[in-house]
Amino acid sequence: MDCLCSRWFPTQTLMLQISLVLVLALPSPDSQTIKDPSSSCTLKRILGGSVQLRLNSSLGPNIREIEWNWDSEDDEKPQLLVSWKPNTPNPDWYDLEEKHKHRFNVTETAFLSIRNLTLEMSGLYTAKIKFHSGKSQEEVFRLCLYEPIPHPQIQIYSSSNTSGWCNVSLECGTPGNTGNLTVTWLSQGLPRELEQRGTLGPARSSRNLSLSLPLSHFNSRLTCVVSNPADEKNATLHLEDICPQRGSLQSKWLWRGILLVVLTVSLVAGVWIWMRKKMQTGRGRWVHSPASGARLSSYSPGPSHSGIR
């Protein structure tokens, strides 16, 4: 019996210790966290933009106060921003640096708005909601900021036509800072086999692209999409701009030749008509001869003529 007790007592003690640990690990009913995105970005914006932190909790008569604080990645401890209370005309702002005073705003529904975002304004923003019962809960937002993406450009390094196919080598470039960018090539009007082989589509994530395009798909397009978690820009290139079809070029030159012939014929006809009129006008006058003393009259072409008297 003593042996059984000696074996059971350590086991009971261990179970009691585990239970105490689990109880201590559970959140207190007076303070609970609805959302804690400290390990991921819940809000992604570009520098210079704006953001609004919307609460999931509905405003009710049991809310006494909502307090916003900001835990910047550069600061050691969170900074209190503002205290919002229902039925109060103006929120109570804490002391902020001059450069931040005009960037924060609180709406009538206690949402925190931030404009003209700078890199230092990334970090954790916490809304502590206090109730008249003495309980409280928190909503946490992690704001991550990124550089805006400049408009990309597609550069054609080489192109050649062989047996109805256009062989091209392209590059999608963006000026300035190009870190942490994803490049995707998409197509419109081209055979689906190109995407299935990974040549195009979401599986293609490289700035450089070399492929063969069928010239039969004359109205097709290639699009380069450059993106980061907060922004996206694209550039499009038409297939006819990369590799013009020979038939289309011949038809263009044919129409240009026909137009040139028409213009030449019109010009020659106009000059011939003008010269004919000048010749007819010159033949309608007699020459006066002072030596013979004859008095000549003018000749006018028509049904009746006047001769020398």
Side-chain angles (χ1 to χ4, degrees), residues 11-57:
T11 304
Q12 185 184 36
T13 304
L14 179 60
M15 293 178 62
L16 180 60
Q17 291 177 349
I18 295 175
S19 300
L20 289 175
V21 171
L22 292 176
V23 171
L24 292 176
L26 293 175
S28 172
D30 295 339
S31 177
Q32 55 181 332
T33 301
I34 291 183
K35 184 164 59 172
D36 183 12
S38 57
S39 59
S40 61
C41 301
T42 55
L43 295 170
K44 303 171 184 179
R45 296 293 186 274
I46 61 174
L47 298 178
S50 60
V51 66
Q52 187 175 80
L53 281 59
R54 297 174 174 267
L55 297 175
N56 296 322
S57 305

Side-chain angles (χ1 to χ4, degrees), residues 267-278:
L267 180 61
V268 171
V271 173
W272 183 80
I273 293 174
W274 178 79
M275 292 180 63
R276 182 179 177 133
K277 289 183 178 180
K278 289 293 272 183

Side-chain angles (χ1 to χ4, degrees), residues 164-295:
W165 287 80
C166 175
N167 306 310
V168 296
S169 178
L170 309 172
E171 181 181 0
C172 182
T174 52
N177 185 15
T178 59
N180 299 325
L181 295 180
T182 300
V183 179
T184 304
W185 290 92
L186 303 176
S187 65
Q188 183 177 359
L190 290 175
R192 190 172 296 274
E193 291 79 8
L194 292 176
E195 295 188 5
Q196 292 177 353
R197 292 199 305 261
T199 306
L200 297 171
R204 181 72 188 186
S205 57
S206 174
R207 293 183 175 274
N208 299 318
L209 179 66
S210 298
L211 74 165
S212 296
L213 304 173
L215 289 176
S216 56
H217 295 70
F218 190 67
N219 296 323
S220 303
R221 294 182 296 178
L222 286 175
T223 299
C224 165
V225 181
V226 182
S227 62
N228 62 24
D231 195 13
E232 179 180 294
K233 295 289 192 314
N234 64 75
T236 299
L237 193 62
H238 292 267
L239 179 58
E240 58 181 334
D241 296 331
I242 304 175
C243 290
Q245 284 184 322
R246 295 178 181 178
S248 63
L249 286 178
Q250 292 176 356
S251 62
K252 288 181 179 180
W253 283 110
L254 178 61
W255 282 108
R256 290 178 182 178
I258 293 175
L259 181 60
L260 181 60
V261 170
V262 171
L263 291 177
T264 303
V265 171
S266 300
L267 180 61
V268 171
V271 173
W272 183 80
I273 293 174
W274 178 79
M275 292 180 63
R276 182 179 177 133
K277 289 183 178 180
K278 289 293 272 183
M279 291 174 63
Q280 290 179 351
T281 304
R283 283 186 313 198
R285 296 184 181 277
W286 290 90
V287 180
H288 176 71
S289 177
S292 61
R295 194 175 69 181

